[in-house]
Amino acid sequence: MLRRLAILLLAVLCMTGARAASPLRILFIGNSYTYTNDLPALVRQLAHGAGRNVETEAVTAGGVSLQWHWEQGTARAALLRKKWDYVVLQDFSTLPLTDPQAVRQSILLFDQQIRAAGARTVLYLTWARAGAPATQADLNRVYYGAGRETGTPVAPVGPAWAIARELDPRLQLYQSDGSHPTPAGSWLAAYVFHITLFGKAPRMADVPRGLSVAEHRVLLLAALRAVARSDWLAGFGERSAVSHD
């Protein structure tokens, strides 16, 4: 009898360990705003630093839209290749300004397939170009609107950029083209995704290589404020207050 109980307990422990080791899988679909500085790898690095087992993959191409990804087919095939937990959608940076309906339609199409695959959509709200900061409000409206329509969370990277620039105008988030992110800009995006996905901020003491302590603190504060405001705007009230690991 005791031997049978010991075998049963061992089996339960093995099953629990297997579940704990099962990784959270995140697929990113987008363009150069996703692959510059390898944003998926930064998100994975932050998660690992917090003790979370996360795997990331990306389907990206420079200068393309979600409509292009839908029609080209590689991203749709990737959705079916393995079991995903989250799929991040990032559209062409200025398309919400010139054709918001195209952005909405692409998000709706992908979201239907993502749900059918058993995953959850996360929308990557990008930043305004350096020379046109006022357009951030229009980007926000399109992504938050799509988030409410589909019932999906929005990772408010663009709003976090705006907050960070207000907190410290000396921060270099843009490359010289006024569009693509510097490493600091990509780290800020990774902070936003970490908080959006896990409900907790990266630890204040964990300063990524290449950032000063002061930069790290400003970026982290900007990410926290942006996500807190995004949750309120989008109506996702289920999550408890964001906290630090």
Side-chain angles (χ1 to χ4, degrees), residues 68-82:
W68 181 90
H69 276 298
W70 181 264
E71 295 171 350
Q72 194 267 344
T74 302
R76 295 165 65 187
L79 280 172
L80 305 176
R81 192 170 61 245
K82 65 172 62 174

Side-chain angles (χ1 to χ4, degrees), residues 1-166:
M1 183 67 175
L2 289 175
R3 185 171 177 230
R4 186 176 299 174
L5 287 173
I7 293 173
L8 180 60
L9 179 59
L10 180 60
V12 170
L13 290 173
C14 288
M15 290 173 62
T16 303
R19 285 197 297 269
S22 180
L24 185 80
R25 295 186 173 94
I26 308 171
L27 175 65
F28 288 78
I29 300 174
N31 54 46
S32 56
Y33 279 19
T34 293
Y35 70 67
T36 298
N37 303 313
D38 199 351
L39 174 61
L42 302 186
V43 172
R44 188 172 65 247
Q45 180 178 328
L46 288 177
H48 289 175
R52 296 183 172 92
N53 187 6
V54 171
E55 293 180 1
T56 61
E57 290 188 24
V59 179
T60 58
V64 304
S65 65
L66 287 175
Q67 181 179 350
W68 181 90
H69 276 298
W70 181 264
E71 295 171 350
Q72 194 267 344
T74 302
R76 295 165 65 187
L79 280 172
L80 305 176
R81 192 170 61 245
K82 65 172 62 174
K83 175 69 174 176
W84 302 103
D85 295 288
Y86 292 104
V87 180
V88 176
L89 300 179
Q90 180 246 316
D91 216 326
F92 184 72
S93 57
T94 58
L95 193 61
L97 309 177
T98 59
D99 195 348
Q101 184 57 30
V103 176
R104 173 183 173 273
Q105 185 62 30
S106 296
I107 289 173
L108 290 175
L109 287 172
F110 266 111
D111 183 60
Q112 289 174 358
Q113 185 166 347
I114 291 166
R115 289 174 185 271
R120 189 176 189 191
T121 303
V122 179
L123 303 181
Y124 179 177
L125 168 51
T126 54
W127 49 87
R129 299 289 176 91
T135 62
Q136 187 65 56
D138 295 319
L139 297 172
N140 295 351
R141 274 193 290 272
V142 173
Y143 277 99
Y144 286 137
R148 284 190 291 269
E149 185 172 2
T150 57
T152 57
V154 177
V157 178
W161 275 44
I163 293 169
R165 296 180 77 192
E166 290 178 0

Side-chain angles (χ1 to χ4, degrees), residues 42-43 45-52 187 190-192 194-195 198-209 211-213 215-221 223-224 242-245:
L42 302 186
V43 172
Q45 180 178 328
L46 288 177
H48 289 175
R52 296 183 172 92
W187 274 117
Y191 291 175
V192 170
H194 187 93
I195 299 167
F198 304 119
K200 289 186 177 181
R203 293 184 301 180
M204 185 68 76
D206 293 342
V207 182
R209 182 176 300 176
L211 292 183
S212 69
V213 173
E215 289 170 333
H216 170 62
R217 289 179 178 274
V218 170
L219 297 180
L220 196 51
L221 177 59
L224 285 163
V242 174
S243 63
H244 290 278
D245 279 346

